Amino acid sequence: MAPVPGGSYAAFYPVKGEAPQPVAPFWLDLQPVTNAEFLAFVREHERWRRSRVPRLFAEAAYLSSWAGDLELGPDAEPAQPVTFVSWFAASAYCKSVGKRLPTEAEWELAANPASDDPLALDEIARRTLAFYARPRGKLPRAGDTPPNAHGLHDLHGVIWEWVADWNASLALADNRQDRDPENDAFCGGAAAGASDPESYATFMRFAFRGSLEATYALHHLGFRCARSTPP
Amino acid sequence: MIEAQLGVAPQPAPPVNRAHAAKVIVKLEVREVVKELADKVQYMFWTFGGNVPGPMIRVRKGDTVELHLMNHPDNAMPHNIDLHAVTGPGGGAASTFTAPGHQTQFTFTALNEGVYIYHCATAPVGMHIANGMYGLIVVEPESGYTVVDREYYVVQSEFYTHGAFREPGLQPFDMQRAINEDPAYVVFNGRDGALIGDRALPANVGEKVRLFLGNGGPNLISSFHVIGEIFDNVFPEGGTVANHQVQTTVIPAGGSAIVEFALQVPGTFILVDHSIFRAFNKGALGMLKVSGPENKQIYSGLEVDEVYLAERSAKATEALKGSKDGGDSLEARMARGKAVYMGTCSTCHQLEGQGLASVFPPLAKSDFLMADKQRSIHTVLAGLQGPVEVNGQTYNNVMPPLANFTDHEIADVLSFVRNSFGNQGEAVNDAEVAAVRAELKQPAAAGHP
C-alpha cells in the first residue's frame, strides 16, 4: 500500500452550492487485487465461491473467467487483476484483509494527483482513451503499468475499479438531461454542469459508475482496497 | 407480435407492407469493434449491430415498438439509445442505460411518421456518436411509401482521428478535433470508400430509385448531391412535404432526407457532400453504377474534340484565304505554308517567329534553321530534344514530331519559314520531305487534323 495525502475533492458532478469535500489522508493498494489473492480469499470464505454465492450478492457472471470454484484456468492468470466480481464480493474481500473499498473521492484524488504539469494530465487522458480505442486484448498483470506520483499502478487504462460509494454521482441515465437545474435532487450535471467538461476520460469513468448495480460482475471491472490507518 | 427485419446498410429494411398497426420487437446489440475506417486504417468503432451506420429499423405509424438493447459483455462502456421517433424522455435514453454484459428494454408507440435518426446518448455523448453509434428508424405512413424499383440506405458522418486522412494504423479518437469540428474523415456508411468500386450501388436505366439518407454528424451538415442526376422528389428532413426538381438538398446533423429520382441514362453517378473538399479530400464520395441502353438524345456523350486556337485562329483563317492550292511556286507555297504555320507552329515559335526566351528557339533569322535544310525537314518529321544553340542562346526543350502533316504541307511550311521573319533561302519540295520520311521509316501521313 502507499500513503495518499489528504486534500480537497471537488465533485465532478457537483450539486449546486456544493463545496469541495475535504478528504483525510489514507492508504491505498499499489495495484488491483489479483486472481491469486481472490482465490486465497474464496478458499477460506466458502460462501463467496462461484457455486455458493447467493444471486443477491453477485449476478450470474460472477467469476465467469475462472475455470471452477477454486480453479483459475487458462483465462485467468494468477497475476492478472481479478474481474467479474460484484461490489458485495469486493467489499467482503477488503474486509477480510482488514481494509475497505476506497471512496470515490479518495479514488479520484489518488488517480489525479494535483499537478501543474499539463503533460501529466494529458498522459492520464491519453492512457484512458488508448484503453477504449484498443481492441479488447488480454489483461496485463497487475502492477505492470508505470506508477503515478503517489506510487500507484494501473489506475488508468487497465480496468474499471469499484469504489465504496459508486452511486454518489447519480448521473441520470440520459446524460444530456443532467444540466437541468431542477435535477439538483439527483446530483446531476453532465457537460456544462461538470467541473471539467473537457475531461472526457473522467466522463467515461463517471458514466460507467452510473451504469452499475452492486451485484454486477463485469469483464473490465475489478477493485483495490484502502485503509484509513497505516497497514 | 412481429420481429422487425432490420436492414444492414446500404440495404434498407424491407417495406412494412401491412394495413394495420402491430407490436414489433426490435433487438439491437451494441458491439465495440475494431474495423477499417480506410485502407490500412483501423478504428475502434462503437456500433449498433457491429456496423456503422447501425441497422435500419422500419415500422408503421401507430406501431407499438418493444426495443431491446443488449450491451455485449466484452464491451468496456455503458451505452443507451435515443431514437428521434420516440416521444418520451431522452427518446428512450432515460430507459436504456445499459452496462456491459446486460440488456434493457422499453416500449414506445410510433406516433409520427417520418425518417428519424437514432443514436447513443451516454456521456460523453459527442464521443459515443463520433465513434459510430447512429442509424435510421423509418416510420412509414399508414398507406406506406409509393413503390419504387430500388431503395438504398446511406448515412453520412464524420470521424475525428489523431492521424491525417488515410494515415495508416490504429487511429485513436481525437476529442479536441471533434470540439473544433475538424474531422479527418467525412464519409458515407462508416468508412472511406464504402460505396466505391465493387461496393458501388448498382441500378438500371428505367428504374426509379429512392435513397433513405441520414446524417449522424456529430457536427457537420451535409449538402447532398448526386452528380448527373436531379431529384424528382425530395422529402426534406424526412418530413411529409415533398419538394421537386432539386439538385442538392441539406441533411441536418442528427437529421434525414428522402430523395427519389428516375434513371434515364447509364453511367456512374457520384454521390457527394457538395461541400466539395469533403468529397475529394475526406471521403464523402460514393457511386451509383447504372447499367442499360444509352439515350443519346438525353445525353450524347463526347461529340467533338478538336484544336481550339482562340485569338490565333484569326491569323490562320486569314492565311488560309490565300492558300488555295495554287501549284508549287514559291509564292503558292508561302501562302499555304503561312496557314500551316499560323495554325500550328506559332503556338510555340510565336506569330513573328520570335520564339519564347529560354523556352522555344526563334525561327526569325535563325542560324540553326538555315544552316541545314535536311536537318530542318528531319526536325519537323521526328521532333527534336536536347540542348541546341540558336543565335548564341542554348535551348533545351521538346519539339514534338509533326509527321501527321503530309509531305506537301511540310514542304509548304518549311518554304514559308525559310523565307519569312528575316530569313532568306531555298524552298523545300515534296520529294525532299518524302526522302527524309523514308529514311525515318515513317508511314505516310494522314494529313493534319
Side-chain angles (χ1 to χ4, degrees), chain B residues 10 12 56 115 136 138 148 150-154 188 195 201-203 208-214 224-226 231 233-235 249 251 256-261 270-272 287-288:
Chain B
M56 182 199 276
V115 178
L136 281 185
V138 174
V148 296
R150 228 172 256 273
E151 292 182 330
Y152 285 116
Y153 169 38
V154 176
F188 296 120
L195 302 176
L201 305 175
K208 235 190 126 186
V209 176
R210 172 181 294 130
L211 303 182
F212 290 100
L213 301 170
F224 185 77
H225 175 76
V226 177
F231 304 137
N233 303 319
V234 174
F235 292 86
T249 192
I251 317 175
S256 70
I258 297 178
V259 300
E260 296 172 353
F261 48 98
I270 315 279
L271 283 61
V272 296
M287 292 178 178
L288 178 72

mmCIF file of all heavy atoms in Angstrom, chain B residues 10 12 56 115 136 138 148 150-154 188 195 201-203 208-214 224-226 231 233-235 249 251 256-261 270-272 287-288:
data_model
loop_
_atom_site.group_PDB
_atom_site.id
_atom_site.type_symbol
_atom_site.label_atom_id
_atom_site.label_comp_id
_atom_site.label_asym_id
_atom_site.label_seq_id
_atom_site.Cartn_x
_atom_site.Cartn_y
_atom_site.Cartn_z
ATOM 1 N N PRO B 10 -25.705 -0.884 -47.220
ATOM 2 C CA PRO B 10 -26.640 0.032 -47.864
ATOM 3 C C PRO B 10 -28.021 -0.545 -48.174
ATOM 4 O O PRO B 10 -28.838 0.139 -48.802
ATOM 5 C CB PRO B 10 -25.916 0.372 -49.178
ATOM 6 C CG PRO B 10 -25.162 -0.877 -49.519
ATOM 7 C CD PRO B 10 -24.746 -1.469 -48.204
ATOM 8 N N PRO B 12 -31.790 -1.350 -47.389
ATOM 9 C CA PRO B 12 -32.780 -0.851 -46.442
ATOM 10 C C PRO B 12 -33.493 -2.026 -45.789
ATOM 11 O O PRO B 12 -33.374 -3.164 -46.253
ATOM 12 C CB PRO B 12 -33.752 -0.086 -47.338
ATOM 13 C CG PRO B 12 -33.717 -0.846 -48.632
ATOM 14 C CD PRO B 12 -32.309 -1.376 -48.776
ATOM 15 N N MET B 56 -31.054 -0.308 -40.251
ATOM 16 C CA MET B 56 -32.288 0.455 -40.443
ATOM 17 C C MET B 56 -33.436 -0.315 -39.805
ATOM 18 O O MET B 56 -33.607 -1.506 -40.030
ATOM 19 C CB MET B 56 -32.592 0.680 -41.919
ATOM 20 C CG MET B 56 -33.854 1.520 -42.100
ATOM 21 S SD MET B 56 -34.594 1.416 -43.724
ATOM 22 C CE MET B 56 -33.617 2.610 -44.589
ATOM 23 N N VAL B 115 -38.679 9.883 -41.167
ATOM 24 C CA VAL B 115 -37.387 9.186 -41.172
ATOM 25 C C VAL B 115 -36.548 9.801 -40.057
ATOM 26 O O VAL B 115 -36.283 11.004 -40.085
ATOM 27 C CB VAL B 115 -36.676 9.360 -42.538
ATOM 28 C CG1 VAL B 115 -35.320 8.667 -42.525
ATOM 29 C CG2 VAL B 115 -37.548 8.815 -43.652
ATOM 30 N N LEU B 136 -30.841 4.810 -38.758
ATOM 31 C CA LEU B 136 -32.150 5.375 -39.083
ATOM 32 C C LEU B 136 -33.283 4.453 -38.656
ATOM 33 O O LEU B 136 -33.195 3.231 -38.819
ATOM 34 C CB LEU B 136 -32.274 5.611 -40.601
ATOM 35 C CG LEU B 136 -31.605 6.843 -41.208
ATOM 36 C CD1 LEU B 136 -31.941 6.949 -42.688
ATOM 37 C CD2 LEU B 136 -31.998 8.115 -40.492
ATOM 38 N N VAL B 138 -37.207 4.274 -39.754
ATOM 39 C CA VAL B 138 -38.197 4.803 -40.690
ATOM 40 C C VAL B 138 -39.576 4.421 -40.176
ATOM 41 O O VAL B 138 -39.842 3.238 -39.919
ATOM 42 C CB VAL B 138 -37.970 4.207 -42.098
ATOM 43 C CG1 VAL B 138 -39.083 4.625 -43.038
ATOM 44 C CG2 VAL B 138 -36.610 4.640 -42.631
ATOM 45 N N VAL B 148 -41.142 1.811 -55.477
ATOM 46 C CA VAL B 148 -40.091 2.175 -56.431
ATOM 47 C C VAL B 148 -39.330 0.903 -56.780
ATOM 48 O O VAL B 148 -39.562 -0.148 -56.172
ATOM 49 C CB VAL B 148 -39.120 3.240 -55.852
ATOM 50 C CG1 VAL B 148 -39.852 4.540 -55.588
ATOM 51 C CG2 VAL B 148 -38.438 2.726 -54.600
ATOM 52 N N ARG B 150 -35.978 0.514 -56.618
ATOM 53 C CA ARG B 150 -34.786 0.274 -55.819
ATOM 54 C C ARG B 150 -34.738 1.259 -54.667
ATOM 55 O O ARG B 150 -34.996 2.446 -54.856
ATOM 56 C CB ARG B 150 -33.555 0.495 -56.695
ATOM 57 C CG ARG B 150 -32.538 -0.599 -56.600
ATOM 58 C CD ARG B 150 -31.461 -0.377 -57.633
ATOM 59 N NE ARG B 150 -31.614 -1.269 -58.748
ATOM 60 C CZ ARG B 150 -31.109 -2.498 -58.799
ATOM 61 N NH1 ARG B 150 -30.451 -2.990 -57.770
ATOM 62 N NH2 ARG B 150 -31.270 -3.249 -59.864
ATOM 63 N N GLU B 151 -34.382 0.754 -53.485
ATOM 64 C CA GLU B 151 -34.183 1.621 -52.316
ATOM 65 C C GLU B 151 -32.802 1.352 -51.759
ATOM 66 O O GLU B 151 -32.361 0.198 -51.729
ATOM 67 C CB GLU B 151 -35.206 1.301 -51.216
ATOM 68 C CG GLU B 151 -36.645 1.662 -51.551
ATOM 69 C CD GLU B 151 -37.582 1.354 -50.382
ATOM 70 O OE1 GLU B 151 -37.290 0.409 -49.615
ATOM 71 O OE2 GLU B 151 -38.593 2.045 -50.266
ATOM 72 N N TYR B 152 -32.150 2.415 -51.318
ATOM 73 C CA TYR B 152 -30.870 2.242 -50.630
ATOM 74 C C TYR B 152 -30.854 3.064 -49.356
ATOM 75 O O TYR B 152 -31.631 4.018 -49.211
ATOM 76 C CB TYR B 152 -29.686 2.659 -51.535
ATOM 77 C CG TYR B 152 -29.369 1.664 -52.625
ATOM 78 C CD1 TYR B 152 -29.506 2.005 -53.968
ATOM 79 C CD2 TYR B 152 -28.926 0.378 -52.315
ATOM 80 C CE1 TYR B 152 -29.203 1.095 -54.973
ATOM 81 C CE2 TYR B 152 -28.631 -0.535 -53.315
ATOM 82 C CZ TYR B 152 -28.777 -0.167 -54.647
ATOM 83 O OH TYR B 152 -28.479 -1.076 -55.635
ATOM 84 N N TYR B 153 -29.923 2.708 -48.453
ATOM 85 C CA TYR B 153 -29.822 3.304 -47.117
ATOM 86 C C TYR B 153 -28.404 3.836 -46.974
ATOM 87 O O TYR B 153 -27.442 3.064 -46.980
ATOM 88 C CB TYR B 153 -30.127 2.196 -46.103
ATOM 89 C CG TYR B 153 -29.849 2.447 -44.645
ATOM 90 C CD1 TYR B 153 -30.079 3.665 -44.040
ATOM 91 C CD2 TYR B 153 -29.391 1.402 -43.845
ATOM 92 C CE1 TYR B 153 -29.847 3.850 -42.682
ATOM 93 C CE2 TYR B 153 -29.163 1.568 -42.484
ATOM 94 C CZ TYR B 153 -29.389 2.798 -41.909
ATOM 95 O OH TYR B 153 -29.163 2.971 -40.569
ATOM 96 N N VAL B 154 -28.279 5.171 -46.892
ATOM 97 C CA VAL B 154 -26.959 5.808 -46.863
ATOM 98 C C VAL B 154 -26.926 6.827 -45.732
ATOM 99 O O VAL B 154 -27.819 7.671 -45.629
ATOM 100 C CB VAL B 154 -26.668 6.528 -48.214
ATOM 101 C CG1 VAL B 154 -25.335 7.276 -48.149
ATOM 102 C CG2 VAL B 154 -26.662 5.527 -49.361
ATOM 103 N N PHE B 188 -19.538 8.249 -46.248
ATOM 104 C CA PHE B 188 -20.843 7.591 -46.289
ATOM 105 C C PHE B 188 -20.694 6.182 -45.740
ATOM 106 O O PHE B 188 -19.721 5.488 -46.029
ATOM 107 C CB PHE B 188 -21.365 7.533 -47.736
ATOM 108 C CG PHE B 188 -21.630 8.876 -48.347
ATOM 109 C CD1 PHE B 188 -20.946 9.276 -49.490
ATOM 110 C CD2 PHE B 188 -22.550 9.749 -47.791
ATOM 111 C CE1 PHE B 188 -21.181 10.522 -50.067
ATOM 112 C CE2 PHE B 188 -22.793 10.995 -48.357
ATOM 113 C CZ PHE B 188 -22.107 11.387 -49.499
ATOM 114 N N LEU B 195 -18.789 3.021 -50.630
ATOM 115 C CA LEU B 195 -19.679 2.900 -51.788
ATOM 116 C C LEU B 195 -18.922 3.124 -53.083
ATOM 117 O O LEU B 195 -19.418 3.759 -54.015
ATOM 118 C CB LEU B 195 -20.818 3.931 -51.668
ATOM 119 C CG LEU B 195 -21.684 3.846 -50.419
ATOM 120 C CD1 LEU B 195 -22.688 5.000 -50.405
ATOM 121 C CD2 LEU B 195 -22.415 2.524 -50.338
ATOM 122 N N LEU B 201 -23.218 1.197 -55.599
ATOM 123 C CA LEU B 201 -24.614 0.779 -55.595
ATOM 124 C C LEU B 201 -25.064 0.514 -57.026
ATOM 125 O O LEU B 201 -24.982 1.407 -57.866
ATOM 126 C CB LEU B 201 -25.476 1.897 -54.975
ATOM 127 C CG LEU B 201 -25.058 2.360 -53.581
ATOM 128 C CD1 LEU B 201 -25.901 3.545 -53.144
ATOM 129 C CD2 LEU B 201 -25.196 1.226 -52.577
ATOM 130 N N PRO B 202 -25.543 -0.678 -57.347
ATOM 131 C CA PRO B 202 -25.981 -0.947 -58.721
ATOM 132 C C PRO B 202 -27.417 -0.502 -58.966
ATOM 133 O O PRO B 202 -28.245 -0.486 -58.040
ATOM 134 C CB PRO B 202 -25.871 -2.468 -58.816
ATOM 135 C CG PRO B 202 -26.073 -2.961 -57.436
ATOM 136 C CD PRO B 202 -25.613 -1.893 -56.498
ATOM 137 N N ALA B 203 -27.712 -0.159 -60.230
ATOM 138 C CA ALA B 203 -29.088 0.160 -60.636
ATOM 139 C C ALA B 203 -29.152 0.044 -62.157
ATOM 140 O O ALA B 203 -28.123 -0.141 -62.811
ATOM 141 C CB ALA B 203 -29.484 1.557 -60.173
ATOM 142 N N LYS B 208 -36.768 3.594 -60.948
ATOM 143 C CA LYS B 208 -36.993 4.694 -60.020
ATOM 144 C C LYS B 208 -36.291 4.311 -58.723
ATOM 145 O O LYS B 208 -36.513 3.222 -58.195
ATOM 146 C CB LYS B 208 -38.488 4.873 -59.766
ATOM 147 C CG LYS B 208 -38.972 6.292 -60.050
ATOM 148 C CD LYS B 208 -40.377 6.555 -59.588
ATOM 149 C CE LYS B 208 -40.405 7.777 -58.673
ATOM 150 N NZ LYS B 208 -41.685 8.039 -58.072
ATOM 151 N N VAL B 209 -35.451 5.215 -58.245
ATOM 152 C CA VAL B 209 -34.610 4.941 -57.075
ATOM 153 C C VAL B 209 -35.023 5.840 -55.922
ATOM 154 O O VAL B 209 -35.320 7.015 -56.124
ATOM 155 C CB VAL B 209 -33.123 5.203 -57.407
ATOM 156 C CG1 VAL B 209 -32.244 5.016 -56.180
ATOM 157 C CG2 VAL B 209 -32.669 4.281 -58.521
ATOM 158 N N ARG B 210 -35.049 5.262 -54.716
ATOM 159 C CA ARG B 210 -35.271 6.061 -53.513
ATOM 160 C C ARG B 210 -34.073 5.863 -52.593
ATOM 161 O O ARG B 210 -33.649 4.721 -52.355
ATOM 162 C CB ARG B 210 -36.544 5.615 -52.799
ATOM 163 C CG ARG B 210 -36.758 6.265 -51.410
ATOM 164 C CD ARG B 210 -38.026 5.763 -50.723
ATOM 165 N NE ARG B 210 -39.200 6.183 -51.469
ATOM 166 C CZ ARG B 210 -40.183 5.350 -51.840
ATOM 167 N NH1 ARG B 210 -40.146 4.073 -51.520
ATOM 168 N NH2 ARG B 210 -41.215 5.814 -52.516
ATOM 169 N N LEU B 211 -33.521 6.954 -52.089
ATOM 170 C CA LEU B 211 -32.445 6.873 -51.091
ATOM 171 C C LEU B 211 -32.987 7.349 -49.757
ATOM 172 O O LEU B 211 -33.523 8.456 -49.668
ATOM 173 C CB LEU B 211 -31.255 7.749 -51.481
ATOM 174 C CG LEU B 211 -30.585 7.495 -52.828
ATOM 175 C CD1 LEU B 211 -29.398 8.439 -53.018
ATOM 176 C CD2 LEU B 211 -30.121 6.054 -52.955
ATOM 177 N N PHE B 212 -32.885 6.495 -48.737
ATOM 178 C CA PHE B 212 -33.129 6.934 -47.362
ATOM 179 C C PHE B 212 -31.793 7.466 -46.858
ATOM 180 O O PHE B 212 -30.828 6.701 -46.749
ATOM 181 C CB PHE B 212 -33.582 5.767 -46.488
ATOM 182 C CG PHE B 212 -34.957 5.271 -46.797
ATOM 183 C CD1 PHE B 212 -35.147 4.129 -47.567
ATOM 184 C CD2 PHE B 212 -36.074 5.940 -46.321
ATOM 185 C CE1 PHE B 212 -36.425 3.668 -47.852
ATOM 186 C CE2 PHE B 212 -37.355 5.483 -46.597
ATOM 187 C CZ PHE B 212 -37.537 4.342 -47.371
ATOM 188 N N LEU B 213 -31.733 8.755 -46.569
ATOM 189 C CA LEU B 213 -30.467 9.395 -46.200
ATOM 190 C C LEU B 213 -30.496 9.834 -44.750
ATOM 191 O O LEU B 213 -31.500 10.372 -44.275
ATOM 192 C CB LEU B 213 -30.234 10.640 -47.064
ATOM 193 C CG LEU B 213 -30.189 10.408 -48.560
ATOM 194 C CD1 LEU B 213 -30.212 11.735 -49.296
ATOM 195 C CD2 LEU B 213 -28.942 9.625 -48.937
ATOM 196 N N GLY B 214 -29.383 9.617 -44.053
ATOM 197 C CA GLY B 214 -29.249 10.117 -42.696
ATOM 198 C C GLY B 214 -27.947 10.884 -42.553
ATOM 199 O O GLY B 214 -27.039 10.739 -43.377
ATOM 200 N N PHE B 224 -26.204 17.350 -49.888
ATOM 201 C CA PHE B 224 -26.178 16.087 -50.607
ATOM 202 C C PHE B 224 -26.580 16.260 -52.071
ATOM 203 O O PHE B 224 -27.620 16.849 -52.402
ATOM 204 C CB PHE B 224 -27.107 15.078 -49.925
ATOM 205 C CG PHE B 224 -27.040 13.713 -50.543
ATOM 206 C CD1 PHE B 224 -25.969 12.873 -50.272
ATOM 207 C CD2 PHE B 224 -28.036 13.279 -51.406
ATOM 208 C CE1 PHE B 224 -25.890 11.618 -50.862
ATOM 209 C CE2 PHE B 224 -27.970 12.019 -51.983
ATOM 210 C CZ PHE B 224 -26.896 11.181 -51.714
ATOM 211 N N HIS B 225 -25.741 15.717 -52.957
ATOM 212 C CA HIS B 225 -25.968 15.879 -54.396
ATOM 213 C C HIS B 225 -25.539 14.592 -55.077
ATOM 214 O O HIS B 225 -24.577 13.954 -54.638
ATOM 215 C CB HIS B 225 -25.120 17.057 -54.897
ATOM 216 C CG HIS B 225 -25.151 17.264 -56.374
ATOM 217 N ND1 HIS B 225 -26.216 17.825 -57.033
ATOM 218 C CD2 HIS B 225 -24.228 16.987 -57.337
ATOM 219 C CE1 HIS B 225 -25.948 17.888 -58.346
ATOM 220 N NE2 HIS B 225 -24.748 17.389 -58.550
ATOM 221 N N VAL B 226 -26.270 14.226 -56.147
ATOM 222 C CA VAL B 226 -25.834 13.098 -56.967
ATOM 223 C C VAL B 226 -25.431 13.669 -58.317
ATOM 224 O O VAL B 226 -26.281 14.210 -59.044
ATOM 225 C CB VAL B 226 -26.957 12.048 -57.128
ATOM 226 C CG1 VAL B 226 -26.489 10.928 -58.050
ATOM 227 C CG2 VAL B 226 -27.350 11.481 -55.768
ATOM 228 N N PHE B 231 -33.050 15.375 -58.370
ATOM 229 C CA PHE B 231 -34.017 14.666 -57.538
ATOM 230 C C PHE B 231 -35.419 15.078 -57.962
ATOM 231 O O PHE B 231 -35.807 16.244 -57.852
ATOM 232 C CB PHE B 231 -33.801 14.993 -56.060
ATOM 233 C CG PHE B 231 -32.409 14.699 -55.568
ATOM 234 C CD1 PHE B 231 -31.754 15.594 -54.745
ATOM 235 C CD2 PHE B 231 -31.744 13.519 -55.915
ATOM 236 C CE1 PHE B 231 -30.470 15.344 -54.278
ATOM 237 C CE2 PHE B 231 -30.455 13.261 -55.467
ATOM 238 C CZ PHE B 231 -29.822 14.180 -54.642
ATOM 239 N N ASN B 233 -38.165 14.026 -56.524
ATOM 240 C CA ASN B 233 -38.847 14.303 -55.250
ATOM 241 C C ASN B 233 -37.826 14.335 -54.132
ATOM 242 O O ASN B 233 -36.922 13.501 -54.091
ATOM 243 C CB ASN B 233 -39.855 13.201 -54.914
ATOM 244 C CG ASN B 233 -40.873 13.009 -56.004
ATOM 245 O OD1 ASN B 233 -41.368 13.971 -56.581
ATOM 246 N ND2 ASN B 233 -41.170 11.760 -56.309
ATOM 247 N N VAL B 234 -38.015 15.310 -53.246
ATOM 248 C CA VAL B 234 -37.222 15.332 -52.018
ATOM 249 C C VAL B 234 -38.186 15.504 -50.861
ATOM 250 O O VAL B 234 -39.088 16.341 -50.940
ATOM 251 C CB VAL B 234 -36.219 16.506 -52.015
ATOM 252 C CG1 VAL B 234 -35.511 16.600 -50.669
ATOM 253 C CG2 VAL B 234 -35.197 16.342 -53.123
ATOM 254 N N PHE B 235 -38.013 14.693 -49.831
ATOM 255 C CA PHE B 235 -38.748 14.933 -48.592
ATOM 256 C C PHE B 235 -37.717 15.499 -47.624
ATOM 257 O O PHE B 235 -36.993 14.743 -46.977
ATOM 258 C CB PHE B 235 -39.389 13.642 -48.085
ATOM 259 C CG PHE B 235 -40.476 13.163 -48.983
ATOM 260 C CD1 PHE B 235 -40.180 12.357 -50.082
ATOM 261 C CD2 PHE B 235 -41.788 13.559 -48.787
ATOM 262 C CE1 PHE B 235 -41.179 11.939 -50.954
ATOM 263 C CE2 PHE B 235 -42.795 13.139 -49.652
ATOM 264 C CZ PHE B 235 -42.493 12.333 -50.735
ATOM 265 N N THR B 249 -29.655 18.806 -51.680
ATOM 266 C CA THR B 249 -30.523 19.004 -50.529
ATOM 267 C C THR B 249 -29.710 18.931 -49.244
ATOM 268 O O THR B 249 -28.707 18.213 -49.157
ATOM 269 C CB THR B 249 -31.687 17.998 -50.528
ATOM 270 O OG1 THR B 249 -32.653 18.401 -49.562
ATOM 271 C CG2 THR B 249 -31.220 16.584 -50.184
ATOM 272 N N ILE B 251 -28.976 17.970 -45.412
ATOM 273 C CA ILE B 251 -29.343 16.995 -44.379
ATOM 274 C C ILE B 251 -28.743 17.489 -43.074
ATOM 275 O O ILE B 251 -27.516 17.516 -42.917
ATOM 276 C CB ILE B 251 -28.794 15.589 -44.685
ATOM 277 C CG1 ILE B 251 -28.970 15.212 -46.153
ATOM 278 C CG2 ILE B 251 -29.478 14.556 -43.798
ATOM 279 C CD1 ILE B 251 -28.331 13.881 -46.515
ATOM 280 N N SER B 256 -32.341 13.795 -41.442
ATOM 281 C CA SER B 256 -32.504 12.829 -42.530
ATOM 282 C C SER B 256 -33.116 13.514 -43.748
ATOM 283 O O SER B 256 -33.481 14.687 -43.705
ATOM 284 C CB SER B 256 -33.442 11.708 -42.081
ATOM 285 O OG SER B 256 -34.765 12.228 -41.965
ATOM 286 N N ALA B 257 -33.222 12.756 -44.834
ATOM 287 C CA ALA B 257 -33.967 13.190 -46.013
ATOM 288 C C ALA B 257 -34.298 11.946 -46.815
ATOM 289 O O ALA B 257 -33.641 10.907 -46.682
ATOM 290 C CB ALA B 257 -33.141 14.145 -46.863
ATOM 291 N N ILE B 258 -35.345 12.054 -47.641
ATOM 292 C CA ILE B 258 -35.592 11.026 -48.656
ATOM 293 C C ILE B 258 -35.432 11.721 -50.006
ATOM 294 O O ILE B 258 -35.949 12.824 -50.201
ATOM 295 C CB ILE B 258 -37.018 10.459 -48.570
ATOM 296 C CG1 ILE B 258 -37.250 9.766 -47.233
ATOM 297 C CG2 ILE B 258 -37.271 9.471 -49.712
ATOM 298 C CD1 ILE B 258 -38.664 9.224 -47.093
ATOM 299 N N VAL B 259 -34.701 11.106 -50.927
ATOM 300 C CA VAL B 259 -34.656 11.628 -52.296
ATOM 301 C C VAL B 259 -35.079 10.520 -53.240
ATOM 302 O O VAL B 259 -34.817 9.335 -52.996
ATOM 303 C CB VAL B 259 -33.258 12.164 -52.689
ATOM 304 C CG1 VAL B 259 -32.839 13.290 -51.762
ATOM 305 C CG2 VAL B 259 -32.218 11.079 -52.711
ATOM 306 N N GLU B 260 -35.775 10.923 -54.315
ATOM 307 C CA GLU B 260 -36.225 9.953 -55.318
ATOM 308 C C GLU B 260 -35.892 10.509 -56.696
ATOM 309 O O GLU B 260 -36.078 11.697 -56.953
ATOM 310 C CB GLU B 260 -37.744 9.733 -55.210
ATOM 311 C CG GLU B 260 -38.170 9.121 -53.887
ATOM 312 C CD GLU B 260 -39.679 9.092 -53.707
ATOM 313 O OE1 GLU B 260 -40.404 9.669 -54.543
ATOM 314 O OE2 GLU B 260 -40.132 8.499 -52.709
ATOM 315 N N PHE B 261 -35.404 9.631 -57.570
ATOM 316 C CA PHE B 261 -35.124 10.078 -58.926
ATOM 317 C C PHE B 261 -35.208 8.890 -59.873
ATOM 318 O O PHE B 261 -34.997 7.738 -59.464
ATOM 319 C CB PHE B 261 -33.760 10.766 -59.034
ATOM 320 C CG PHE B 261 -32.617 10.030 -58.391
ATOM 321 C CD1 PHE B 261 -31.762 9.244 -59.154
ATOM 322 C CD2 PHE B 261 -32.382 10.121 -57.029
ATOM 323 C CE1 PHE B 261 -30.698 8.558 -58.568
ATOM 324 C CE2 PHE B 261 -31.320 9.440 -56.428
ATOM 325 C CZ PHE B 261 -30.476 8.659 -57.208
ATOM 326 N N ILE B 270 -22.127 10.014 -59.145
ATOM 327 C CA ILE B 270 -21.356 10.123 -57.906
ATOM 328 C C ILE B 270 -22.179 10.818 -56.825
ATOM 329 O O ILE B 270 -22.692 11.917 -57.039
ATOM 330 C CB ILE B 270 -20.062 10.932 -58.131
ATOM 331 C CG1 ILE B 270 -19.356 10.486 -59.402
ATOM 332 C CG2 ILE B 270 -19.172 10.841 -56.914
ATOM 333 C CD1 ILE B 270 -18.532 9.253 -59.266
ATOM 334 N N LEU B 271 -22.292 10.153 -55.675
ATOM 335 C CA LEU B 271 -22.925 10.756 -54.505
ATOM 336 C C LEU B 271 -21.863 11.586 -53.792
ATOM 337 O O LEU B 271 -20.756 11.088 -53.539
ATOM 338 C CB LEU B 271 -23.411 9.677 -53.538
ATOM 339 C CG LEU B 271 -24.675 8.890 -53.833
ATOM 340 C CD1 LEU B 271 -24.583 8.104 -55.132
ATOM 341 C CD2 LEU B 271 -24.971 7.935 -52.687
ATOM 342 N N VAL B 272 -22.184 12.838 -53.488
ATOM 343 C CA VAL B 272 -21.212 13.673 -52.769
ATOM 344 C C VAL B 272 -21.909 14.521 -51.722
ATOM 345 O O VAL B 272 -23.107 14.793 -51.807
ATOM 346 C CB VAL B 272 -20.438 14.642 -53.698
ATOM 347 C CG1 VAL B 272 -19.577 13.898 -54.699
ATOM 348 C CG2 VAL B 272 -21.361 15.625 -54.375
ATOM 349 N N MET B 287 -20.678 5.926 -55.156
ATOM 350 C CA MET B 287 -21.015 5.707 -56.574
ATOM 351 C C MET B 287 -22.307 4.940 -56.745
ATOM 352 O O MET B 287 -22.556 3.965 -56.025
ATOM 353 C CB MET B 287 -19.906 4.898 -57.249
ATOM 354 C CG MET B 287 -18.606 5.638 -57.379
ATOM 355 S SD MET B 287 -17.403 4.542 -58.115
ATOM 356 C CE MET B 287 -16.017 5.647 -58.228
ATOM 357 N N LEU B 288 -23.085 5.388 -57.731
ATOM 358 C CA LEU B 288 -24.266 4.648 -58.166
ATOM 359 C C LEU B 288 -23.972 4.244 -59.603
ATOM 360 O O LEU B 288 -23.842 5.087 -60.483
ATOM 361 C CB LEU B 288 -25.500 5.565 -58.092
ATOM 362 C CG LEU B 288 -26.831 4.987 -58.544
ATOM 363 C CD1 LEU B 288 -27.346 3.964 -57.539
ATOM 364 C CD2 LEU B 288 -27.867 6.093 -58.709
#
